[in-house]
Amino acid sequence: RIIVLLGVFHGIGFLIYYVVNNTLEKVLRPVNFIGVIIFILGIIMMFFWKPIRNLNYKVFYVFHNIFFLTYITLTYLHARPGVSLFYFISIGLLFAQYIRKYLYVKDITITEIIENPGSDYKIIKFPKSLLPESYLPGSHVRIGASKWSPFFIMLPSHPYTVATTFENRDLLATLIVKNTKFQLQPFETYSIQTNFKSSINENFFLTAENIVIVCGGSGISLGLVLFEFFKRSIIADGKDIKIKFIWVTKDEKDLFILNDLNIQGVDVYITNGINEDILEQDEIDIQESENSAVPLMELSNNSSDSLNTYETKFANTAIVGKRPNLEDILQKSLSKTLDYANKWIVSCGPPSLNKECESIATKEKCQFFSEEYSF
């Protein structure tokens, strides 16, 4: 961005120079007109960078790639004296990035897609063998066009949080994906990059004693893997950890995620109306007012390795037609332990939800971590 900004200043400076000296016609000379094109491209990148990205990320990404190849090449043709060394070094660096991208991706075939008509979300499953042998909860993958596709370099890949811990012995890993223009199809081949480590500090997993996880929409993917990790710590390792898992979602049809993955112990707040026929009454206890769930320390230990096999003494609760009073709920949960250093609020959702949780964490003087997910 600094280089592009300096290029814009360079163009403005020469335009002023030509106007002051009454020699504006010099901009029409071929070698100078190339500079005008560079100047216009720089203006677009500096002032329309974020709006284009927010409006259509694919257009932004393609333009970004074309821009830098064009910018470097046109600079080579425009600059006087020549900048051949600069040009070949820059092109070499770009191609090194492309080669690295090819080397770091693997082919992936989507094994299974589970969806529910009317929900904005899908459960995506793929072979767990593609992931590193071990990874912390919160690790990400990026999935994009196959590396054998002519669009592999030009089109963006898409980040997803792995919703399965590496300790889980299932052969398939799980992603919770929101429906977007980029649609994953079963048995199609894509590229996957798996070397994106969790941004949560490792100390969190070793020392946390009281955790409240608040998820909005697709943020449940991060919430699930954290919840699975700490439930295993409580049940398998006998650790004394207090944990609460809150999921705020728009539609009751999204609850198929909990049913299909057999997740127990989630307080769900559905912000739209509800059709009771959608839900299985034995799995989701529909409430008209807030209920407090049984503490996780009372979970029975009837199984071994997978969260999907844990039997619990309580069901999920779905609270309909309202948003949670987060300050009140979080305050009650955090009050169960005294050590501020080991109390955590983890928020994964839209910016408004993360900001609200951060404000509560500041007020309660506890640790805070957030990642932004679309609702």
Side-chain angles (χ1 to χ4, degrees):
R1 291 183 182 181
I2 293 173
I3 291 172
V4 174
L5 185 61
L6 289 174
V8 170
F9 288 156
H10 169 81
I12 292 173
F14 264 94
L15 282 174
I16 293 173
Y17 176 80
Y18 289 147
V19 169
V20 169
N21 290 278
N22 199 27
T23 55
L24 191 58
E25 70 279 359
K26 286 186 178 182
V27 301
L28 298 177
R29 294 178 181 177
V31 71
N32 289 338
F33 192 73
I34 291 174
V36 174
I37 296 173
I38 296 172
F39 175 74
I40 293 171
L41 289 174
I43 291 290
I44 293 172
M45 287 300 291
M46 290 306 302
F47 296 101
F48 295 96
W49 182 293
K50 190 171 182 178
I52 292 174
R53 182 179 60 190
N54 293 343
L55 184 65
N56 190 314
Y57 184 77
K58 184 185 291 187
V59 171
F60 160 79
Y61 191 87
V62 171
F63 177 76
H64 181 274
N65 278 315
I66 294 173
F67 168 79
F68 276 108
L69 281 171
T70 305
Y71 196 90
I72 292 170
T73 302
L74 291 181
T75 300
Y76 168 70
L77 297 173
H78 168 72
R80 288 156 290 174
V83 288
S84 299
L85 182 61
F86 165 81
Y87 173 72
F88 288 113
I89 290 174
S90 298
I91 291 294
L93 288 171
L94 282 175
F95 276 98
Q97 288 183 335
Y98 296 151
I99 292 170
R100 183 179 182 274
K101 188 174 180 181
Y102 270 103
L103 293 176
Y104 271 83
V105 301
K106 306 173 184 177
D107 286 331
I108 174 179
T109 300
I110 302 300
T111 307
E112 184 180 356
I113 294 181
I114 302 170
E115 52 188 323
N116 186 34
S119 174
D120 287 337
Y121 304 106
K122 295 179 180 179
I123 300 172
I124 305 293
K125 296 190 176 183
F126 64 93
K128 196 177 177 185
S129 58
L130 293 170
L131 297 174
E133 290 185 4
S134 65
Y135 55 88
L136 285 175
S139 295
H140 299 76
V141 299
R142 295 192 72 93
I143 297 178
S146 168
K147 65 179 180 180
W148 308 116
S149 165
F151 304 108
F152 173 69
I153 292 295
M154 296 306 298
L155 294 181
S157 58
H158 302 265
Y160 301 107
T161 302
V162 179
T164 310
T165 64
F166 84 90
E167 296 97 340
N168 189 313
R169 293 191 179 181
D170 288 350
L171 296 178
L172 299 178
T174 299
L175 308 174
I176 310 299
V177 175
K178 185 176 181 180
N179 288 326
T180 62
K181 292 180 181 179
F182 179 67
Q183 294 289 327
L184 294 169
Q185 301 296 334
F187 308 112
E188 291 288 333
T189 300
Y190 300 92
S191 65
I192 182 171
Q193 300 174 70
T194 62
N195 56 323
F196 298 97
K197 297 180 180 180
S198 173
S199 54
I200 307 176
N201 191 293
E202 187 174 356
N203 195 50
F204 164 70
F205 300 102
L206 299 174
T207 63
E209 296 177 350
N210 189 332
I211 310 108
V212 184
I213 303 168
V214 184
C215 301
S218 60
I220 190 174
S221 55
L222 177 59
L224 284 177
V225 72
L226 293 176
F227 194 48
E228 180 181 356
F229 176 88
F230 284 108
K231 283 182 80 172
R232 179 171 282 105
S233 297
I234 293 167
I235 296 172
D237 302 333
K239 291 187 177 181
D240 183 11
I241 299 173
K242 307 294 188 295
I243 186 168
K244 191 173 187 64
F245 187 7
I246 299 169
W247 182 32
V248 184
T249 190
K250 289 182 177 180
D251 201 294
E252 76 279 1
K253 296 174 183 177
D254 301 336
L255 297 182
F256 85 97
I257 294 172
L258 302 182
N259 292 337
D260 278 76
L261 298 180
N262 192 24
I263 307 300
Q264 300 288 327
V266 185
D267 293 343
V268 186
Y269 290 80
I270 301 167
T271 56
N272 288 347
I274 193 164
N275 177 357
E276 293 187 11
D277 295 335
I278 297 294
L279 305 177
E280 298 179 27
Q281 287 296 128
D282 60 336
E283 295 194 48
I284 304 291
D285 178 21
I286 303 173
Q287 307 284 326
E288 292 301 331
S289 61
E290 294 184 21
N291 281 354
S292 58
V294 178
L296 277 176
M297 288 307 296
E298 297 183 18
L299 293 178
S300 60
N301 185 9
N302 297 330
S303 64
S304 55
D305 296 304
S306 172
L307 175 65
N308 296 344
T309 62
Y310 288 155
E311 297 293 334
T312 69
K313 292 183 179 180
F314 63 96
N316 298 315
T317 60
I319 301 166
V320 182
K322 63 182 295 185
R323 291 180 62 86
N325 182 342
L326 287 178
E327 184 168 0
D328 183 54
I329 296 170
L330 271 57
Q331 192 175 49
K332 288 178 181 177
S333 294
L334 294 169
S335 66
K336 294 176 183 178
T337 54
L338 297 176
D339 191 345
Y340 290 109
N342 296 330
K343 293 183 182 182
W344 284 83
I345 296 175
V346 178
S347 176
C348 25
S352 57
L353 179 68
N354 293 342
K355 186 175 181 181
E356 181 178 359
C357 289
E358 184 177 16
S359 176
I360 296 170
T362 301
K363 187 174 181 180
E364 295 298 316
K365 300 178 182 178
C366 68
Q367 307 293 318
F368 177 72
F369 175 84
S370 70
E371 282 192 355
E372 185 175 327
Y373 293 75
S374 60
F375 199 95

